[in-house]
Amino acid sequence: MGSDMGKIWCIVPAAGIGLRFGEERPKQYIPFRSSTIIDVTIKTLLSCSKLEKIIVCIHPDDEYAQKSDYINHPKVQVVIGGNERSDSVLSGIQSIQTDKADDDWVLVHDAARPCVRLADINRLIKAAQIHQQGAILAAPIHDTVKEVVNQLAVNTLDRTRLWRALTPQLFKLKDIQTALLSENENSYLMTDEASAIEQLGLPVRIVEGHADNIKITVPADLQLANMYMDQQEEKSCG
Ligand code: CTP
Ligand code: MG
């Protein structure tokens, strides 16, 4: 892969406080699979040999990261994140100083998505490499989706065109840096890196990923994620 693609720096935004999850500790530090959500996530990322470094963005008042099993791993670096997810990602990117080159890439993966599979990460990297374009994992939407105003359905969207954006999301370092640095009046709508890239008019390739790569947002997601991990482990054993 080396000659076709520069280094791939991995950024793990983990500076959120998990307001919707509603626990005292941020959701990424909740116990999961005899570890924690963030450690399960980092373990999978560490198993991807194509990633140069794993840069974990944490909250300035974080009291839990030091207890992570991977905090002292030679491939893991910790930086302080920012107020918004995009600020955290930008701070991770700006922490890359040494050996940063023009053809480098940045792969962003939420700490709160522990069920991501190595095979999907590798397919994403391959797609970005082949097309030399930014790419994201995404899953097609099967439900009928309504646009709702004041509790009334005002429109039914064409679901054949709708996908759920997952992470990882992979972009050329210089593109994602430019995109996140450019001020935008719609920045409150930018809940992922791809939206910032779209605003620049750059392509974002959709790579279908497994739908079980869910983001832990509310407590019920934890049970679901646990079941998905059981299923993944059963399959890999059988
Ligand atoms: N995140 C971050 N910096 C922020 C906000 C979020 O690094 N300022 C990270 C979270 O830690 C999480 C990922 O971005 O891994 C996705 O965000 P989200 O699911 O919204 O997590 P929280 O912001 O923690 O949750 P909530 O919105 O419910 O408060
Ligand atoms: Mg949030």
Side-chain angles (χ1 to χ4, degrees), residues 11-224:
I11 310 275
V12 180
I17 54 166
L19 209 59
R20 287 168 291 178
F21 197 93
E23 280 271 332
E24 199 184 326
R25 72 176 67 183
K27 62 188 181 185
Q28 56 273 27
Y29 299 114
I30 298 285
F32 183 63
R33 312 292 290 178
S34 64
S35 170
T36 58
I37 292 175
I38 191 169
D39 273 357
V40 172
T41 304
I42 296 176
K43 188 175 181 190
T44 301
L45 294 169
L46 280 170
S47 73
C48 179
S49 58
K50 292 163 188 139
L51 303 178
E52 187 72 17
K53 278 269 184 300
I54 294 167
I55 301 164
V56 183
C57 316
I58 63 168
H59 193 274
D61 303 328
D62 189 306
E63 294 169 6
Y64 301 93
Q66 280 312 317
K67 295 178 198 134
S68 158
D69 288 341
Y70 300 110
I71 209 82
N72 294 317
H73 190 285
K75 250 175 113 169
V76 174
Q77 278 174 13
V78 175
V79 301
I80 300 296
N83 282 339
E84 301 295 330
R85 183 179 185 283
S86 54
D87 301 323
S88 297
V89 173
L90 193 56
S91 123
I93 293 171
Q94 286 173 331
S95 77
I96 307 167
Q97 297 291 349
T98 47
D99 310 327
K100 183 160 69 176
D102 265 359
D103 58 347
D104 282 1
W105 293 70
V106 170
L107 180 140
V108 182
H109 182 65
D110 289 333
R113 288 186 194 269
C115 303
V116 65
R117 297 159 197 238
L118 176 63
D120 278 2
I121 302 174
N122 283 332
R123 276 191 314 114
L124 178 74
I125 294 173
K126 203 163 185 184
Q129 177 196 22
I130 289 170
H131 299 282
Q132 288 294 303
Q133 282 174 344
I136 66 172
L137 285 184
I141 285 189
H142 301 303
D143 291 311
T144 298
V145 181
K146 301 290 185 191
E147 191 180 345
V148 175
V149 179
N150 296 331
Q151 298 267 273
L152 292 172
V154 293
N155 195 13
T156 302
L157 303 176
D158 175 5
R159 70 179 171 201
T160 61
R161 294 172 51 131
L162 297 177
W163 290 69
R164 292 192 295 125
L166 313 172
T167 74
Q169 305 200 342
L170 177 59
F171 302 101
K172 291 192 172 156
L173 190 153
K174 57 178 175 4
D175 291 345
I176 184 67
Q177 193 162 15
T178 308
L180 294 178
L181 280 170
S182 55
E183 284 287 328
N184 194 293
E185 61 200 35
N186 294 328
S187 56
Y188 68 99
L189 289 173
M190 293 197 189
T191 48
D192 70 351
E193 288 59 57
S195 22
I197 294 283
E198 291 154 24
Q199 290 286 320
L200 285 189
L202 294 171
V204 176
R205 183 159 286 273
I206 294 293
V207 176
E208 185 166 354
H210 284 83
D212 62 4
N213 176 13
I214 59 167
K215 180 161 70 73
I216 310 285
T217 305
V218 294
D221 294 331
L222 210 54
Q223 259 176 309
L224 202 56

